[in-house]
Amino acid sequence: MPSPADEAARRRTFAIISHPDAGKTTLTEKFLLYGGALTSEAGAVKARSGRRSATSDWMALEQQRGISITSTVLQFPYRDCVVNLLDTPGHRDFSEDTYRVLAAADAAVMVLDAAKGIEPQTLKLFDVCRQREMPLLTFVNKWDRPGREPLELLDEIEQQIGLVVTPVTWPVGIAGDFRGVIDRRDGSFTRYTRVARGATEAPEEIVDPERAADEEGEAWAAAHDDITLLDEVGADLDLELFLGAQSTPAFFGSALTNFGVRKLLDAVVDLVPAPRARDDAEGKPRDLDAPFSGFVFKVQANMDPSHRDRIAFLRVCSGRFERGMVITHGPTGKPFATKYAHQVFGSERETLEEAYPGDVVGLVNATEVRVGDTLWLDEAVEYPAIPSFAPEHFSVARVRDTGKFKQFRKGISQLDEEGVVQVLRDADQGDSAPVLAAVGPMQFDVAVYRLENEFGAPVELSPTSYRIARRTDRPSAEALRGMRGVRVLERADGTLMALFESQYWLERLERDSPELVLERLVAEGGAG
Ligand code: G4P
């Protein structure tokens, strides 16, 4: 039997991130198409998510808004590897979920729209990846449509993101007149042919340079000029810089017409690092062949109303996971039976028999399991906590019908545990009017919807004028409570948070009262 380390070496675990509408869903579908995981026509991801909404009540919200709230984990074989694609939620605003999913990935593919380049969401996501030192591949999508100059796009990425861009493929034909790509690693030219709706793989032909020059004329000459320039500045793929998150290999393509999709998927297999021994909370790496262990990066309740349960998504870090084994839930030390381990594709579950480092296991009935928890077999281990993002939006929640207060309280604490929103309480007001804190306002929509539809507690949210949160301690909290323009609240885990209305006020306070403890929350990104 292959060892866990052997199996890990075949795993590629990554996420696709993008500004909404750049083409993440389409690219995901096309990866499945090229991975042979789609037997029917492309579009199954959307179709599946449509079905999912039909079977799940709170996910009707997804359908209403045409977005995907739950992250899905897609696994498919490609070449001699097993690819795990972690789908990040497609919110218009950044949410904590995205960050948690990235904590479970070994690399990310950033999708850009060729006509738009770097968009606000992209910038924030890039920042997060850089903080995590996560290797990043860039896919410039929609080259079949009019867009910008390729060199100008690369320049923008370098300027705004501060990463060296190393184009691996280069388009022949301007955006909107896409013929194919030159692979800068060997100079080969792949020419594509469009098929209707991109429903099947795009036929490709390797064309030698003389013929290409003859047949593609101007387009070929222009691409060649660009490449000569790139060669001169030495913008070549550098594996070490890529793995150190200092450079990003770039690929041009069109997810819609499938042009360049195979090149990108091949690059995922060739470049994305296989899972490595993960450091525990003390910084000691856990050997891949050590007994099973993993950490939870997402908890999702009531994914399916006919189950009314709670699934914890765990990334395997070491050893072999076998369904049925009894593992230990790190924080409580309690045994956890894995009889109902699943692989989850959207909300469609398949029983999972075994998993290896890099894979994701959906643990059903995970009542006591929280995001960040470690589960292990035989040899105890604890992985570092997933840092929570600094919230930037704060709203007071009140139940509309006081007769539903019990349901309200239950719902709030459930959402808090799942990490849908952060719940902050005022020591004086108790549970009646908690402040919900979020990284993106979309989190509030989900919370309100679920409180009403799942817990039967319609709520009213009143926005507050607070914008910035800092962690503080008890003595500082006492001092802050008497001050204007600041409010001190407490999280369920005991963390004290000081909320400020303006950066200006906070800075003044920091200057005037340097003795106060006002720590930034980790992973504040560019938003701080
Ligand atoms: P997202 O998940 O990042 O939000 O983006 P999604 O894949 O849903 O794509 C957003 C829109 O862009 C879709 O059009 C999709 O068809 C289109 N698109 C994606 N990739 C390409 C591409 O390579 N070229 C072109 N021309 N279009 C692309 P839509 O009209 O919103 O939806 P649909 O009716 O086509 O499904």
Side-chain angles (χ1 to χ4, degrees):
M1 193 166 37
S3 71
D6 293 339
E7 284 293 334
R10 305 204 295 133
R11 296 309 194 263
R12 299 291 182 272
T13 302
F14 73 107
I16 303 183
I17 52 184
S18 75
H19 190 86
D21 281 340
K24 182 163 63 82
T25 312
T26 313
L27 185 62
T28 302
E29 285 166 8
K30 299 314 171 72
F31 275 170
L32 293 177
L33 177 72
Y34 279 83
L38 278 188
T39 41
S40 58
E41 70 173 39
V45 172
K46 276 191 178 157
R48 274 173 186 272
S49 60
R51 273 214 303 282
R52 180 176 62 195
S53 303
T55 57
S56 160
D57 54 6
W58 77 265
M59 278 180 211
L61 182 65
E62 292 191 15
Q63 208 170 30
Q64 271 168 27
R65 295 181 167 266
I67 49 142
S68 127
I69 289 165
T70 46
S71 47
T72 45
V73 183
L74 310 173
Q75 187 183 64
F76 58 93
Y78 185 71
R79 291 178 15 201
D80 49 2
C81 284
V82 175
V83 175
N84 290 307
L85 200 176
L86 311 183
D87 186 20
T88 53
H91 296 181
R92 200 151 279 281
D93 52 60
F94 185 80
S95 88
E96 291 197 77
D97 272 356
T98 311
Y99 189 74
R100 295 179 189 137
V101 170
L102 288 175
D106 294 321
V109 170
M110 169 70 76
V111 183
L112 299 180
D113 182 325
K116 298 188 174 143
I118 302 284
E119 298 180 79
Q121 177 90 316
T122 339
L123 205 54
K124 201 149 183 176
L125 288 164
F126 254 123
D127 266 341
V128 170
C129 290
R130 199 170 33 195
Q131 279 174 8
R132 296 197 56 84
E133 293 186 13
M134 173 168 283
L136 202 65
L137 298 160
T138 299
F139 185 64
V140 180
N141 190 29
K142 305 199 186 183
W143 206 257
D144 58 298
R145 279 210 314 215
R148 294 169 45 187
E149 288 284 328
L151 286 170
E152 182 196 310
L153 278 166
L154 301 194
D155 206 40
E156 181 172 293
I157 302 173
E158 296 209 347
Q159 296 294 331
Q160 298 211 19
I161 310 289
L163 281 183
V164 176
V165 187
T166 57
V168 174
T169 66
W170 197 255
V172 173
I174 55 165
D177 179 25
F178 194 15
R179 322 273 177 90
V181 294
I182 296 174
D183 191 321
R184 289 187 60 230
R185 291 168 296 192
D186 59 9
S188 65
F189 171 46
T190 308
R191 189 162 62 187
Y192 301 99
T193 310
R194 252 185 116 130
V195 291
R197 289 174 295 125
T200 53
E201 296 181 13
E204 9 188 292
E205 182 190 8
I206 304 281
V207 182
D208 68 63
E210 288 79 39
R211 219 180 100 208
D214 199 33
E215 291 171 5
E216 304 300 341
E218 274 292 294
W220 175 262
H224 231 258
D225 285 352
D226 287 347
I227 285 183
T228 310
L229 194 76
L230 291 169
D231 290 346
E232 276 167 13
V233 300
D236 301 334
L237 175 66
D238 182 321
L239 203 56
E240 212 169 302
L241 292 181
F242 161 67
L243 294 176
Q246 288 170 330
S247 78
T248 176
F251 299 79
F252 288 79
S254 157
L256 189 73
T257 61
N258 305 340
F259 290 17
V261 170
R262 188 198 307 281
K263 288 264 180 204
L264 182 64
L265 188 51
D266 280 333
V268 165
V269 164
D270 294 332
L271 302 179
V272 167
R276 279 171 293 198
R278 184 166 287 250
D279 284 351
D280 66 14
E282 267 119 50
K284 195 169 138 266
R286 168 100 161 182
D287 197 64
L288 289 170
D289 281 331
F292 164 81
S293 70
F295 69 91
V296 172
F297 63 95
K298 182 169 176 66
V299 172
Q300 179 93 56
N302 305 335
M303 285 181 71
D304 183 339
S306 60
H307 292 272
R308 283 285 173 216
D309 56 13
R310 182 157 150 153
I311 296 194
F313 292 91
L314 171 139
R315 174 183 156 129
V316 180
C317 297
S318 69
R320 184 180 135 95
F321 173 88
E322 278 172 64
R323 189 170 71 85
M325 68 191 195
V326 178
I327 54 183
T328 301
H329 175 229
T332 58
K334 289 188 189 165
F336 186 96
T338 62
K339 199 165 141 202
Y340 302 106
H342 284 103
Q343 190 171 18
V344 181
F345 187 109
S347 73
E348 292 178 17
R349 302 171 185 181
E350 264 171 46
T351 303
L352 174 120
E353 295 302 335
E354 58 173 27
Y356 293 96
D359 291 344
V360 170
V361 177
L363 298 171
V364 186
N365 297 333
T367 332
E368 283 186 272
V369 180
R370 313 254 189 285
V371 168
D373 288 358
T374 301
L375 290 107
W376 49 262
L377 180 75
D378 295 344
E379 279 172 31
V381 58
E382 185 191 341
Y383 291 109
I386 300 176
S388 61
F389 241 83
E392 291 167 24
H393 302 270
F394 305 88
S395 285
V396 180
R398 284 190 189 84
V399 68
R400 287 228 186 102
D401 172 358
T402 44
K404 298 274 195 264
F405 185 66
K406 237 172 91 182
Q407 290 86 331
F408 172 72
R409 203 158 64 179
K410 181 161 175 246
I412 290 279
S413 82
Q414 169 81 35
L415 298 182
D416 193 14
E417 282 172 12
E418 273 181 53
V420 172
V421 284
Q422 295 182 33
V423 178
L424 311 178
R425 293 184 176 84
D426 191 319
D428 301 332
Q429 295 188 3
D431 280 344
S432 65
V435 172
L436 307 188
V439 173
M442 184 74 191
Q443 290 173 251
F444 290 149
D445 294 351
V446 175
V448 168
Y449 188 90
R450 289 189 56 187
L451 283 168
E452 176 160 352
N453 291 275
E454 200 177 295
F455 297 94
V459 292
E460 195 173 73
L461 279 195
S462 336
T464 71
S465 48
Y466 297 107
R467 290 287 166 269
I468 304 162
R470 288 285 184 270
R471 192 180 10 231
T472 187
D473 63 5
R474 299 249 163 233
S476 302
E478 287 312 312
L480 289 166
R481 282 206 171 96
M483 293 182 189
R484 256 185 334 117
V486 52
R487 196 166 165 202
V488 181
L489 299 170
E490 188 164 348
R491 271 202 320 224
D493 65 2
T495 306
L496 288 167
M497 307 261 268
L499 309 189
F500 297 88
E501 288 178 13
S502 76
Q503 186 72 28
Y504 168 76
W505 191 247
L506 169 64
E507 281 168 13
R508 227 182 86 178
L509 195 66
E510 282 174 328
R511 210 176 42 235
D512 296 347
S513 313
E515 74 285 359
L516 292 176
V517 173
L518 293 168
E519 288 169 5
R520 273 171 177 274
L521 288 121
V522 252
E524 252 176 42

